[in-house]
């Protein structure tokens, strides 16, 4: 290389500049990736990416149709019934994302240190989601499972039901290719052991329009959740200086109520959690709203 540089000084300088430019670009990409992954708007940015602006559309048209409820990604307006199926897949994706934190040993303990949870995921056969094609409400699920210990045999019976789908990772083909178009199904979400199994009955979830959510919100029984213990610990914010409807978010919301295996189910009049949706039915993972009066 030294001999080549002496013999061809101008070419050597060009090559050196190219190498330097590639190194700078690589560093910029690395810094950008680091910022995106550590930004206080991480989950917001991830949601916005799911309904991107087409290159041939002006920002003005993009925002106007977003406010009207248009999904640019799928090139259509969705009804609430159609959004329900989309939102149920996205809700399942959120569970899978949570599971991945366990598989990757990124669950934070009370001292702020990561726990070695992946071994427990393997040992218990947990950290996954099952979709069971049954019509059972939350109350019917509890009536079936029962209260107190000894619920695992019945939970396992649900998991082993005919035509059950099991999802471990977001790239599992059966998850990617599944459109959640079944009218009735139950979701079973198990973390790294049998002490935390959440059940979502056929009546677990409902899509709200913005006006319906605002009426519910006036009861002042919901608080915004910006951080969780153990998982989703990243600071998560929505930019304060924008109209979120202009970005296709907040025209619809998903209300969710689940049953925790072994505990008595309290059937609330309103959902226990409310998640922001975009116009394509994707959930904002965090922040969300939690009901505090039951």
């Amino acid at each position: 290389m030294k001999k080549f540089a002496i013999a061809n000084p101008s070419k050597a300088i060009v090559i050196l500049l190219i190498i330097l430019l590639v190194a700078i670009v690589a560093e910029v990409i690395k810094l950008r990736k680091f910022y995106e992954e550590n930004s206080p708007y991480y989950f917001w940015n991830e949601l916005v990416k799911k309904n991107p602006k087409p290159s041939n559309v002006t920002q003005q048209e993009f925002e106007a149709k977003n406010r009207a409820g248009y999904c640019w990604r799928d090139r259509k307006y969705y009804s609430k019934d159609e959004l329900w199926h989309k939102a149920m897949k996205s809700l399942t994706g959120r569970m899978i994302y949570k599971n991945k934190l366990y598989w990757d040993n990124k669950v934070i303990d009370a001292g702020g240190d990561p726990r070695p949870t992946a071994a427990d995921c393997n040992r218990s056969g947990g950290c996954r989601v099952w979709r069971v094609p049954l019509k059972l409400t939350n109350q019917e699920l509890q009536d079936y499972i029962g209260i107190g210990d000894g619920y695992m045999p019945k939970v396992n019976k649900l998991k082993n039901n005919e035509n059950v789908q099991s999802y471990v990772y977001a790239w599992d083909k059966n998850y990617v290719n599944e459109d959640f178009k079944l009218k009735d199904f139950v979701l079973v979400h198990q973390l790294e052991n049998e002490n935390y199994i959440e059940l979502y009955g056929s009546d677990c979830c409902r899509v709200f329009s913005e006006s319906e959510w605002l009426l519910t919100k006036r009861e002042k029984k919901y608080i915004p959740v910006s951080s969780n213990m153990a998982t989703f610990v990243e600071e998560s914010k929505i930019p304060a200086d924008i109209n979120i409807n202009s970005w296709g978010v907040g025209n619809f919301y998903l209300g969710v109520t689940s049953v925790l295996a072994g505990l008595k189910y309290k059937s609330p009049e309103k959902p226990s959690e409310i998640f922001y949706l975009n116009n394509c039915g994707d959930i904002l993972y965090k922040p969300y709203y939690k009901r505090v009066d039951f």
Side-chain angles (χ1 to χ4, degrees), residues 117-165:
T117 49
D120 292 328
C121 291
N122 272 314
R123 189 179 303 113
S124 67
C127 302
R128 64 190 66 207
V129 185
W130 291 263
R131 193 202 60 174
V132 188
L134 289 175
K135 184 177 182 180
L136 289 173
T137 65
N138 280 352
Q139 187 61 61
E140 289 170 337
L141 269 174
Q142 178 173 84
D143 293 343
Y144 170 71
I145 295 295
I147 301 171
D149 297 334
Y151 52 77
M152 275 312 297
K154 290 188 175 179
V155 170
N156 287 334
K157 192 173 181 179
L158 285 174
K159 294 177 185 177
N160 295 320
N161 207 288
E162 190 176 0
N163 296 321
V164 163
Q165 292 286 348

Side-chain angles (χ1 to χ4, degrees), residues 10-81:
S10 59
K11 290 183 179 179
I13 291 173
V14 171
I15 292 172
L16 184 62
L17 288 174
I18 290 173
I19 293 173
L20 184 61
L21 181 61
V22 169
I24 291 172
V25 170
E27 193 62 29
V28 168
I29 292 173
K30 189 189 299 182
L31 287 172
R32 181 178 176 180
K33 186 173 185 291
F34 174 82
Y35 172 76
E36 288 179 349
E37 291 179 349
N38 293 274
S39 165
Y41 308 114
Y42 173 72
F43 290 114
W44 169 263
N45 291 337
E46 289 299 300
L47 183 66
V48 169
K49 288 177 187 176
K50 293 176 180 177
N51 187 29
K53 183 180 84 67
S55 58
N56 61 338
V57 172
T58 66
Q59 187 68 23
Q60 184 178 9
E61 181 186 358
F62 176 68
E63 294 187 13
K65 292 188 78 170
N66 275 337
R67 289 190 293 271
Y70 190 68
C71 173
W72 290 96
R73 183 188 67 209
D74 302 334
R75 298 179 181 275
K76 66 174 293 182
Y77 292 96
Y78 280 109
S79 68
K80 286 168 66 175
D81 287 342

Side-chain angles (χ1 to χ4, degrees), residues 138 198 200 204 221-223 225 255-259 265-266 268-275 288-294:
N138 280 352
E198 221 164 353
Y200 298 78
C204 72
K221 294 178 180 178
Y222 288 89
I223 59 171
V225 178
V256 178
T257 303
S258 61
V259 178
Y265 174 61
K266 300 177 183 178
E269 292 182 9
K270 302 290 171 62
S272 56
E273 295 173 327
I274 298 281
F275 293 92
Y288 59 96
Y289 288 87
K290 193 169 188 69
R291 192 173 176 91
V292 294
D293 69 329
F294 70 98

